[in-house]
Amino acid sequence: MSLRKPLALLLVAGALAATSVAIAANAPAGAGGAAAAALPANADLSKIEGIPELEGADIVRGKRMFSSAGGNCLSCHGWDGDGTGKNPRSEGAAALLRESGLDAAGFIQIISCGIPGTPMPYHDSQAYKDDRCYGMVAADFEAGQEPHKGKSIKKDDIVNLVAYIMTSIQGKPKATYEDCVAWFEKSAEKACAFMKQ
Ligand code: HEC
């Protein structure tokens, strides 16, 4: 989508405008508010500028893919990527995504292919059917060592997810109660009660 679209069109486009990172980020405060508000409050778009793998990525949709409505990453990693298991929404030890040193290609590979031998599942529905993942197919693994299968996520949405993680989780300080409220929006009161001092 062009950045030079007239504002009136942006407003009419409504939800459509919210699907474009570029437009949401450039929407003037107030006028384009609806679109801008849908971006995670702490998103830092400069983190993914110029990364070819992530061109055209939709962070708002990426956040949805991280949630239980999408790839359900938060069930293990926590909504904030803290992965400590202290968060009641996390199922125990998972990598602390806030401190991950992966780049875009690394995230794409791990989300697509998982990490065999750990609970981190793969999300590419074709993984281990051919050798796209680490050159391995399912038959190459010994019984009990097979990679776990997660929810299937399309390539575009894996890219959206990575853009979300890199702008809104990786390198961020530990989340606060206010971050939690901003993340959960409508369900915040219940979801964030455990963080309230
Ligand atoms: C069943 C629990 C589970 C689910 C669901 C899950 N993960 Fe993981 N993930 C893990 C665990 C455990 C690790 C750490 C594996 C290890 O290295 O021991 C991990 C590691 C990772 C890593 C590697 C981080 C690093 O710096 O090495 C990334 C990236 C990641 N997960 C992203 C995701 C995303 C995105 C989703 C959702 C699409 C997701 N995970 C879903 C359990 C899970």
Side-chain angles (χ1 to χ4, degrees):
M1 244 191 262
S2 155
L3 290 179
R4 274 185 233 106
K5 286 235 157 75
L7 189 60
L9 196 78
L10 263 186
L11 294 174
V12 172
L16 204 79
T19 66
S20 164
V21 169
I23 286 185
N26 286 285
L39 264 185
N42 63 350
D44 178 358
L45 301 181
S46 68
K47 292 271 185 63
I48 58 166
E49 248 165 46
I51 299 180
E53 289 97 329
L54 304 183
E55 207 174 311
D58 178 343
I59 296 172
V60 176
R61 196 167 156 80
K63 177 185 166 187
R64 201 176 320 136
M65 296 315 296
F66 196 82
S67 77
S68 49
N72 209 17
C73 317
L74 96 174
S75 72
C76 292
H77 290 282
W79 64 273
D80 50 0
D82 222 32
T84 59
K86 272 198 213 146
N87 181 339
R89 289 173 173 268
S90 165
E91 289 167 8
L96 179 53
L97 295 182
R98 286 196 292 112
E99 293 180 4
S100 177
L102 292 171
D103 62 6
F107 277 118
I108 290 171
Q109 179 169 61
I110 285 188
I111 296 167
S112 302
C113 299
I115 309 177
T118 82
M120 175 60 197
Y122 63 89
H123 297 85
D124 177 340
S125 63
Q126 300 306 304
Y128 308 107
K129 289 184 177 164
D130 59 28
D131 67 354
R132 68 183 64 194
C133 284
Y134 315 117
M136 314 264 294
V137 297
D140 295 334
F141 294 91
E142 285 175 32
Q145 296 296 308
E146 295 94 345
H148 295 274
K149 187 176 187 327
K151 283 200 186 177
S152 293
I153 306 178
K154 292 202 177 79
K155 181 74 206 287
D156 279 1
D157 274 330
I158 289 180
V159 166
N160 295 334
L161 190 44
V162 171
Y164 167 68
I165 292 171
M166 292 182 74
T167 56
S168 310
I169 293 182
Q170 190 178 32
K172 296 288 180 196
K174 198 163 172 52
T176 62
Y177 176 71
E178 287 69 33
D179 294 331
C180 185
V181 169
W183 203 89
F184 282 100
E185 298 172 2
K186 284 191 197 119
S187 54
E189 203 180 326
K190 210 170 156 197
C192 303
F194 76 99
M195 288 183 85
K196 219 168 183 175
Q197 297 296 324

